[in-house]
Amino acid sequence: LKTAGSLVEKRASGRGAATASMTSLGGIRRAFVLGVGFFADAYDIFIINLVRQMMIASDGPMNAWIAGAISTATILGAIAGQLVLGRVGDLTGRRKIMVFTSILTILGSGGSALAVSLGRLPKEFILIFWRFILGMGVGGEYPLSASLSSETSSSESRGRNTLAMFSMQGVGMLVCPIVVLIILSLGVSMQVAWRLSLAFGILPSILALYFRLRMEESEKFLRAVETSGLASHRWKLIGTAGSWFLIDVTFYANGLFQSTFTDLMGLSKGILNDAKVALIIALITLPGYLLSVFTIDRAGRRQLQVMGFVWISLLFLTAALAFEQLAKVKGLFVTVYAMSFFFTNFGPNATTFLIPSEIFPTKLRSTCHGISAATGKVGAFVGGIALRPVVNAFGVRVAFLICALTAALGSIWTLIFIPTYDSTYDEDVDPLLEDESERQGLQSNGAAYSTELSVLSKAATDEGVNEHSATL
């Protein structure tokens, strides 16, 4: 580690570079350039259910295994992208890999829209392949954009900037049904409709690629020094990965209850009505994203995550215990269902993305964020796929109860494994050491173990500390 004085100098210069970078990119453009992956993530994950229905309307019934593979290919690709590209991002830099993820997203979206049969290989298999490629690009966006946003923001704006970028996920959910409704209103065939719906995902990625090619590398990444190994941060990683897994189980399980929501809304089955329901749900979720952006610094990261998990647990428990009563009053069930989405986004869905971008050192930030996000996608698979047989066999009440217990575990998990910190914390300056003997060793050598810049500044000018600075 560097001396206390050099660490203070590094922090000050890093903040200056961050502020300059923020000013050059501009608020809205910055959120778009870094957040387009989350737009694509939400758009491409939620569009596929509607696309699958259009394919069935065009080509006839689809094999259940193939239908499941089309739905899960993007999730599996995202897991691979988060793990592999997250690690490469720490080794080679953020900018180059973000350009690469944009290219993968463009190729995946374009290939999906143009999927045709090749000899005896049906177009559904080609679509699965391109959906996996798309997933890799989307998955790589998570650790890279989170790291870059964290590293190019001042401590005062880091939380808001990162969550503003992440809120593009909500925009993607909103745009998805709107695009489908517009395309269907044009009167085109279902064959053309599903291809146009998939092709739309290319447009924001092309625009983002243009800006990313002109983007500079993170100054903080360029200045970062080697740090302790991954094992030194194991408990924090268990905390971020585990809590992300738990929230994604409940978040994606919510999609299983959409048919119940549709029935209570009095809507018949069909592509148009499913698109309308998706639009209603997207409008419900968006305020949660925005409220997280504006309150994250006042509410606190850890506190907001615990609060969200508790509310989600209570709402699902209410739905499980009083389902029959709620079903009799349409407005009550819709309110409970809507509030579960609201507290997911005004809570753990936002904080599980933000926290890994802040509590790990720069040289491990993308790697640890990628591991956490990939674990979350495993939770998405469990919630969206593995719980479906439970719903089919035992009904939605049992699934509601499982989600309630999962969210309750999430609040406990957060309290145990997620450290308490605020927006001024910088892992590179003041590591949260997990080895107590290492911490005691540093303290015995006169290290000022503090997260406050003022303490480090004082330590840098204190001659007594300077005598031991080399050991720090």
Side-chain angles (χ1 to χ4, degrees):
L1 294 177
K2 298 292 187 183
T3 65
S6 64
L7 286 173
V8 173
E9 180 183 354
K10 174 184 163 187
R11 184 170 189 176
S13 60
R15 283 185 173 181
T19 304
S21 179
M22 286 175 60
T23 303
S24 63
L25 282 172
I28 296 176
R29 191 180 75 176
R30 183 179 188 278
F32 172 79
V33 173
L34 296 182
V36 69
F38 304 103
F39 177 96
D41 175 46
Y43 181 87
D44 287 303
I45 286 177
F46 288 95
I47 196 70
I48 198 61
N49 291 328
L50 297 172
V51 164
R52 214 171 54 235
Q53 291 184 56
M54 288 186 274
M55 292 180 70
I56 292 172
S58 172
D59 303 327
M62 183 180 295
N63 178 279
W65 183 90
I66 292 177
I70 290 174
S71 297
T72 58
T74 306
I75 293 178
L76 295 176
I79 293 173
Q82 286 158 346
L83 293 174
V84 175
L85 299 181
R87 182 57 188 150
V88 176
D90 276 336
L91 297 175
T92 65
R94 291 33 170 141
R95 176 189 170 277
K96 288 184 289 188
I97 308 304
M98 289 199 73
V99 169
F100 183 60
T101 60
S102 289
I103 294 172
L104 287 178
T105 304
I106 293 168
L107 291 175
S109 296
S112 297
L114 297 174
V116 293
S117 299
L118 295 177
R120 294 185 177 182
L121 196 63
K123 66 175 178 295
E124 288 80 6
F125 283 77
I126 306 300
L127 177 60
I128 291 169
F129 169 78
W130 286 116
R131 294 282 297 173
F132 182 86
I133 298 299
L134 170 65
M136 284 196 67
V138 168
E141 293 279 344
Y142 276 71
L144 274 303
S145 58
S147 298
L148 194 58
S149 178
S150 179
E151 292 163 6
T152 58
S153 299
S154 66
S155 61
E156 294 81 7
S157 62
R158 184 176 60 197
R160 294 192 305 273
N161 287 342
T162 303
L163 291 185
M165 172 192 69
F166 182 64
S167 67
M168 288 291 289
Q169 186 182 73
V171 178
M173 287 181 63
L174 181 63
V175 170
C176 165
I178 293 175
V179 169
V180 171
L181 290 171
I182 291 174
I183 290 174
L184 292 177
S185 70
L186 298 176
V188 298
S189 68
M190 287 296 176
Q191 178 80 212
V192 174
W194 71 258
R195 293 183 184 278
L196 288 177
S197 298
L198 291 175
F200 179 83
I202 301 174
L203 300 180
S205 297
I206 290 176
L207 188 57
L209 178 60
Y210 169 76
F211 288 112
R212 289 178 179 186
L213 288 170
R214 303 172 49 150
M215 189 169 58
E216 297 295 329
E217 181 57 86
S218 161
E219 185 72 19
K220 189 169 185 178
F221 174 81
L222 295 175
R223 291 173 175 269
V225 295
E226 292 300 324
T227 185
S228 53
L230 198 61
S232 300
H233 304 274
R234 58 191 178 278
W235 293 114
K236 289 186 294 183
L237 187 56
I238 288 172
T240 56
S243 53
W244 204 329
F245 172 88
L246 294 169
I247 189 54
D248 270 12
V249 169
T250 64
F251 182 73
Y252 286 88
N254 243 340
L256 300 177
F257 314 132
Q258 184 169 320
S259 60
T260 304
F261 179 84
T262 303
D263 292 340
L264 290 175
M265 290 291 290
L267 297 173
S268 59
K269 304 293 183 183
I271 299 172
L272 279 174
N273 283 338
D274 284 351
K276 292 176 183 177
V277 170
L279 179 59
I280 293 170
I281 293 173
L283 290 171
I284 290 169
T285 63
L286 198 55
Y289 286 103
L290 299 178
L291 197 56
S292 292
V293 174
F294 294 113
T295 63
I296 186 62
D297 290 317
R298 290 193 297 273
R301 279 76 162 153
R302 186 170 181 257
Q303 295 89 328
L304 187 61
Q305 184 160 304
V306 171
M307 179 275 293
F309 269 127
V310 170
W311 271 108
I312 295 166
S313 180
L314 291 174
L315 289 164
F316 275 120
L317 185 62
T318 300
L321 299 179
F323 177 73
E324 293 178 357
Q325 291 81 357
L326 291 172
K328 293 177 182 177
V329 184
K330 180 172 64 176
L332 285 178
F333 180 82
V334 170
T335 299
V336 171
Y337 189 65
M339 293 298 285
S340 70
F341 276 108
F342 174 81
F343 280 108
T344 294
N345 294 317
F346 181 49
N349 194 39
T351 54
T352 52
F353 177 81
L354 174 62
I355 291 173
S357 73
E358 296 184 316
I359 66 173
F360 295 106
T362 299
K363 284 296 187 179
L364 288 175
R365 181 173 290 121
S366 182
T367 300
C368 293
H369 198 285
I371 293 172
S372 301
T375 308
K377 287 301 182 188
V378 175
F381 179 83
V382 172
I385 306 297
L387 276 182
R388 189 174 295 278
V390 175
V391 175
N392 294 336
F394 303 103
V396 294
R397 295 184 69 167
V398 174
F400 282 144
L401 185 59
I402 292 174
C403 288
L405 295 174
T406 301
L409 178 59
S411 62
I412 297 170
W413 195 276
T414 301
L415 290 171
I416 294 175
F417 294 110
I418 299 297
T420 301
Y421 73 101
D422 60 23
S423 61
T424 63
Y425 174 71
D426 190 334
E427 172 66 31
D428 292 325
V429 173
D430 184 33
L432 286 171
L433 296 177
E434 298 191 356
D435 188 336
E436 186 62 31
S437 62
E438 183 182 0
R439 182 182 304 188
Q440 291 173 354
L442 286 176
Q443 289 173 336
S444 67
N445 282 305
Y449 191 81
S450 169
T451 59
E452 296 297 329
L453 181 60
S454 61
V455 175
L456 282 172
S457 299
K458 181 180 178 181
T461 57
D462 191 324
E463 292 182 358
V465 173
N466 285 338
E467 291 178 1
H468 301 285
S469 61
T471 64
L472 288 171

